[in-house]
């Protein structure tokens, strides 16, 4: 699982990072199925947490489990450096969202190389919410964007508008997926929705994190 290391929400003076639910729910889907999960982040060490994701309104059984899980918190405090990760050591990769990935995982060369290695080895890649941005600049062997012609989703323009960050984020994820030829799909704001097209799995929003993880798990069966 690859997490953001970006902590600043544009020029707002507010903090951002990864969204707890989007890590916790998928992590426990994988761990409970017996998978060994390695955590990595752009800078290594403790990734920043989006403080809004710790508010009472956004707590779920998975976040509560994570809050009480000292062992997993220890893993989170000591994530590997993304550039040190070798795709050949793993069967799949999952990117949790939060606004952070828009800034540090969209153009990250280590991340792009890692994802392209997974795809070249016919291994599935998955992301939820804003982390679909990590797939924007991935290209196939012929030089085409991987999302071109594929069913994809991610945090929608209307959801970004609802959280009043349309003018703050570096780009609107829905627009960028469409610009690269992705067949963007979505459901009503805040409802669970995930889509798999070949090796590519994406979830729309925080509510979609478990669904996206289960699709990845199924593809590994």
């Amino acid at each position: 699982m690859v997490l953001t290391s970006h902590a600043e929400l544009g020029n707002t003076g507010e903090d951002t990072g990864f969204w707890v639910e989007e890590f916790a729910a998928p992590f426990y889907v994988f761990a409970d199925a017996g998978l060994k999960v390695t955590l990595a982040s752009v800078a290594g060490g403790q990734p920043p947490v989006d403080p809004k994701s710790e508010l009472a309104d956004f707590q779920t059984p998975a976040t509560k489990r994570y809050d009480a899980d000292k062992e997993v918190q220890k893993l989170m405090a000591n994530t590997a450096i993304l550039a040190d990760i070798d795709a050949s050591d793993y069967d799949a990769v999952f990117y949790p969202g939060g606004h952070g990935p828009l800034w540090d995982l969209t153009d990250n060369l280590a991340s792009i190389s890692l994802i392209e290695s997974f795809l070249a080895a016919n291994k599935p890649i998955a992301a939820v919410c804003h982390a679909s941005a990590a797939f924007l600049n991935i290209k196939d062997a012929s030089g085409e964007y991987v999302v071109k012609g594929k069913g994809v989703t991610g945090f929608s323009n209307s959801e970004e508008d609802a959280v009043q960050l349309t003018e703050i984020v570096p780009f609107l994820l829905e627009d960028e997926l469409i610009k690269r030829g992705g067949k963007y799909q979505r459901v009503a704001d805040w409802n669970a929705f995930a889509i798999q097209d070949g090796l590519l799995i994406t979830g729309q929003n925080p509510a979609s994190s478990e669904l996206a993880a289960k699709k990845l798990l199924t593809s590994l069966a």
Side-chain angles (χ1 to χ4, degrees):
M1 297 181 76
V2 177
L3 296 119
T4 181
S5 292
H6 186 88
E8 298 171 357
L9 188 60
N11 58 6
T12 62
E14 295 181 29
D15 294 331
T16 191
F18 76 90
W19 196 263
V20 177
E21 157 68 16
E22 294 173 33
F23 163 76
F27 178 86
Y28 289 116
V29 166
F30 304 142
D32 291 348
L35 274 60
K36 182 182 178 185
V37 182
T38 296
L39 306 185
S41 62
V42 174
Q46 174 68 52
V49 177
D50 186 320
K52 292 189 180 71
S53 73
E54 297 181 309
L55 298 175
D57 285 354
F58 302 116
Q59 300 316 296
T60 66
T63 66
K64 291 172 184 174
R65 183 175 172 186
Y66 173 66
D67 288 342
D69 193 334
K70 301 304 180 191
E71 288 303 307
V72 178
Q73 289 175 33
K74 194 181 297 179
L75 291 178
M76 183 63 81
N78 295 281
T79 65
I81 297 171
L82 176 58
D84 294 340
I85 296 293
D86 186 337
S88 65
D89 294 334
Y90 302 94
D91 297 311
V93 65
F94 189 99
Y95 283 71
H99 280 86
L102 297 181
W103 278 276
D104 72 348
L105 284 168
T106 305
D107 299 312
N108 185 285
L109 296 180
S111 179
I112 290 170
S113 174
L114 184 75
I115 294 169
E116 289 178 348
S117 295
F118 274 102
L119 293 175
N122 208 38
K123 296 174 179 178
I125 60 172
V128 65
C129 203
H130 289 94
S132 295
F135 299 162
L136 285 174
N137 294 317
I138 308 302
K139 293 184 177 179
D140 61 22
S142 64
E144 294 278 9
Y145 286 116
V146 161
V147 299
K148 184 177 180 181
K150 293 272 177 50
V152 289
T153 191
F155 206 60
S156 66
N157 289 357
S158 61
E159 286 168 324
E160 203 68 81
D161 189 55
V163 296
Q164 300 182 321
L165 291 174
T166 299
E167 303 301 323
I168 304 301
V169 292
F171 56 84
L172 292 172
L173 180 55
E174 177 181 332
D175 289 354
E176 294 303 312
L177 287 166
I178 292 168
K179 281 180 190 174
R180 284 160 178 74
K183 294 181 177 177
Y184 182 83
Q185 300 177 35
R186 54 157 299 174
V187 293
D189 291 359
W190 318 120
N191 283 268
F193 178 65
I195 183 169
Q196 179 168 2
D197 194 333
L199 296 171
L200 192 66
I201 298 166
T202 46
Q204 181 177 325
N205 49 32
S208 311
S209 55
E210 184 173 327
L211 192 56
K214 287 180 174 176
K215 286 183 180 294
L216 184 59
L217 188 63
T218 300
S219 71
L220 290 172

